[in-house]
């Protein structure tokens, strides 16, 4: 089957406001009646521009996400309840450009790390090939970040961020 997730995923990278939407494609693979795997692939790229008089600020955010969900499951008539965890790798990039009459200052944040998200979910099947469902997760992420600033001549320290948050998903799945 295939599922498309559209859930808000916020990551703070250092001192940025960093909330990006994470759009993912999940492919549930039913191994047997009691177990499933769910590979997940996500990508986001967005740009925001603010202009005021002669000043301009442009932010570009890019996020990649690759994960696998491992879930034992229990079936009851036309419903399935599953529990387990998603584990994966994140790549987060944010570029900020500040332009004023004196020139351009560029700041780049590049981060990557791992996450683990214990999860519980359920689905209701309207037919063998169509269901709706929901999932609740508690996400822990650890991200190492490097900062590069155009006017800085010395190297900046690398820093590590950790995140603990909840994530709720609502989805529609089609099975082939």
């Amino acid at each position: 089957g295939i599922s498309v997730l559209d859930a808000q995923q916020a990551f703070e990278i250092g001192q940025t406001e960093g909330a990006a939407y994470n759009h993912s494609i999940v492919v549930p693979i039913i191994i047997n009646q009691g177990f499933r795997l769910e590979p997940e692939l996500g990508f986001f790229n967005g740009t925001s521009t603010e202009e005021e008089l002669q000043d301009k600020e442009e932010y570009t955010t890019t996020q990649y996400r690759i994960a696998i969900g491992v879930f034992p499951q229990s079936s009851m008539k036309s419903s399935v309840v599953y529990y387990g965890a998603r584990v994966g790798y994140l790549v987060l990039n944010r570029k900020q450009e500040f332009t004023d009459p004196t020139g351009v200052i560029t700041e780049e944040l590049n981060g990557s790390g791992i996450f683990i998200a214990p999860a519980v979910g359920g689905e209701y099947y309207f037919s063998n090939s169509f269901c709706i469902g929901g999932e609740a997760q508690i996400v822990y992420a650890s991200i190492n970040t490097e900062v590069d600033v155009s006017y800085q001549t010395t190297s900046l320290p690398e820093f590590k961020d950790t995140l603990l948050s909840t994530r709720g998903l609502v989805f529609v799945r089609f099975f082939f």
Side-chain angles (χ1 to χ4, degrees):
I2 193 165
S3 172
V4 177
L5 304 178
D6 186 4
Q8 183 175 7
Q9 185 72 42
F11 289 97
E12 293 295 329
I13 302 176
Q15 298 176 6
T16 68
E17 50 276 283
Y21 286 90
N22 181 17
H23 303 274
S24 296
I25 295 175
V26 176
V27 181
I29 302 168
I30 310 300
I31 303 299
N32 60 42
Q33 189 173 0
F35 187 74
R36 74 166 71 188
L37 294 174
E38 293 190 356
E40 178 180 347
L41 186 61
F43 170 76
F44 171 84
N45 186 36
T47 300
S48 172
T49 303
E50 297 176 26
E51 292 187 46
E52 185 176 311
L53 298 175
Q54 296 178 340
D55 296 344
K56 179 180 173 184
E57 295 181 28
E58 186 171 275
Y59 303 90
T60 303
T61 303
T62 305
Q63 176 180 341
Y64 301 94
R65 174 187 180 104
I66 185 168
I68 184 82
V70 179
F71 299 106
Q73 64 181 18
S74 299
S75 300
M76 301 164 277
K77 294 186 181 180
S78 54
S79 299
V80 172
V81 175
Y82 61 91
Y83 49 91
R86 295 185 189 278
V87 293
Y89 184 72
L90 299 167
V91 176
L92 308 165
N93 301 305
R94 182 170 176 105
K95 181 178 180 181
Q96 300 170 305
E97 287 186 346
F98 305 98
T99 305
D100 63 22
T102 63
V104 177
I105 297 173
T106 302
E107 179 178 294
E108 291 188 49
L109 295 103
N110 298 301
S112 62
I114 59 168
F115 71 91
I116 184 165
V120 61
E123 301 169 330
Y124 181 80
Y125 285 80
F126 293 96
S127 70
N128 287 338
S129 59
F130 176 73
C131 74
I132 60 169
E135 182 174 310
Q137 302 174 359
I138 298 175
V139 181
Y140 170 81
S142 177
I143 302 169
N144 292 316
T145 305
E146 295 178 355
V147 179
D148 182 27
V149 180
S150 62
Y151 62 84
Q152 191 77 24
T153 56
T154 60
S155 63
L156 296 171
E158 187 174 297
F159 54 95
K160 183 175 184 173
D161 287 324
T162 56
L163 165 76
L164 184 62
S165 69
T166 57
R167 183 179 185 211
L169 309 175
V170 175
F171 48 80
V172 176
R173 291 187 171 165
F174 301 94
F175 292 86
F176 306 100

